[in-house]
Amino acid sequence: THFGFETVAEAIKEQKVRGVFSSVASSYDTMNDLMSVGIHRLWKDYFVRNLNPGQNPLKSSSSSEQGWNILDIAGGTGDIAFRMLDHASTINNDPYTKVTVADINPDMLAEGKRRSLVTPYARSPRLNFVEANAEKLDMIPDSSIDLYTVAFGIRNFTHKDVALREAYRVLKPGGVFACLEFSKVNNTLFNEVYKRWSFGAIPLIGQLVAGDRDSYQYLVESIERFPSQTEFRDMIQDAGFLVPGQGWEDLTGGIAAIHKGVKP
Ligand code: SAM
């Protein structure tokens, strides 16, 4: 607005998201396990297996390049990145694929770096961490990325459309955008149970286990506000991507979904 209220509101939102993730960085696994009853680990395994990092040939790669150049946005504690590198190395025998983990929150990145020390990728050129806002990836050149992943991150972004356009910019032609995110449950009865669980139990568990009701309340509300599968698919198309098939795959009845787009 004329008085800049929107900018103030957005700054407050960004600050709030920062605060939420700073306060949950160390209890992050507990949080995810509680919120998803442990299922987030299976979703992440499936997400990575399905993308099959390191598989050759990749359409977007030129023949001189070896391995995939992956950008994991909102990569936080490295959950997706470590899985990608493990998959490339052990399943595809590919020692070249590399992952850049980008996150807006230095506490989450610090936790990711700490965790990387017990992986084979500690201090390896295959893994690096950058502090960055998904809406402004100035340090990543145009058309340089084979695979852009974002898991449980995009619903926190202030301008999702801007982030999607940045994803489009940094991907090579033929490169893939892949998003794993909470979504809309597609069965009415199951939805009733799910809503009771998320609005009733999760903030309470947050309070009891992490002593932090507000952060968990925020997380539940951010899931509720996130667009439906079709709306989000349309946003991906609006950013210029081609979507394969219907554009998404539901996981566990739509509690989560994987959306994909290909840069033409
Ligand atoms: N991808 C990890 C996973 O699946 O476990 C972390 C997900 S965590 C729920 C969400 C992450 O998004 C946090 O680490 C937060 O700092 C990050 N984030 C929020 N807004 C962001 C933005 N605008 N740009 C980059 N990262 C952001």
Side-chain angles (χ1 to χ4, degrees), residues 22-36:
S22 289
S23 62
V24 300
S26 54
S27 59
Y28 186 70
D29 280 345
T30 323
M31 174 188 89
N32 279 338
D33 282 337
L34 289 172
M35 282 181 50
S36 74

Side-chain angles (χ1 to χ4, degrees), residues 32-71:
N32 279 338
D33 282 337
L34 289 172
M35 282 181 50
S36 74
V37 220
I39 298 174
H40 76 105
R41 292 171 192 269
L42 303 178
W43 292 334
K44 286 173 181 169
D45 289 345
Y46 177 74
F47 182 59
V48 170
R49 212 176 333 120
N50 174 269
L51 291 167
N52 201 5
Q55 177 210 41
N56 271 320
L58 188 75
K59 275 201 214 83
S60 57
S61 288
S62 68
S63 52
S64 62
E65 283 171 307
Q66 288 181 303
W68 296 17
N69 192 16
I70 301 175
L71 179 62

Side-chain angles (χ1 to χ4, degrees), residues 34 201-213:
L34 289 172
I202 289 177
L204 185 64
I205 295 174
Q207 184 177 354
L208 297 176
V209 177
D212 182 359
R213 187 183 181 93

Side-chain angles (χ1 to χ4, degrees), residues 14 17 21 28 31-32 40 44 72-80 102-105 108 132-135 150-153 155-158 219:
E14 236 173 78
V17 170
F21 288 106
Y28 186 70
M31 174 188 89
N32 279 338
H40 76 105
K44 286 173 181 169
D72 183 38
I73 292 284
T77 55
D79 256 26
I80 299 297
D103 200 286
I104 203 170
N105 190 308
M108 292 294 275
N133 184 338
E135 296 173 19
V150 56
F152 304 113
R155 71 173 191 284
N156 301 295
F157 300 173
T158 314
L219 290 169

Side-chain angles (χ1 to χ4, degrees), residues 47-48 50-51 68 70-73 80 84 146-154 164 167 171 175-181 232 236 241 247 257-262:
F47 182 59
V48 170
N50 174 269
L51 291 167
W68 296 17
I70 301 175
L71 179 62
D72 183 38
I73 292 284
I80 299 297
M84 292 280 183
D146 295 297
L147 172 65
Y148 173 118
T149 52
V150 56
F152 304 113
I154 201 163
L164 286 169
L171 279 165
V176 173
F177 164 86
C179 171
L180 170 62
E181 186 52 271
F232 187 48
I236 293 169
F241 290 103
I258 294 173
H259 278 79
K260 280 190 202 164
V262 180

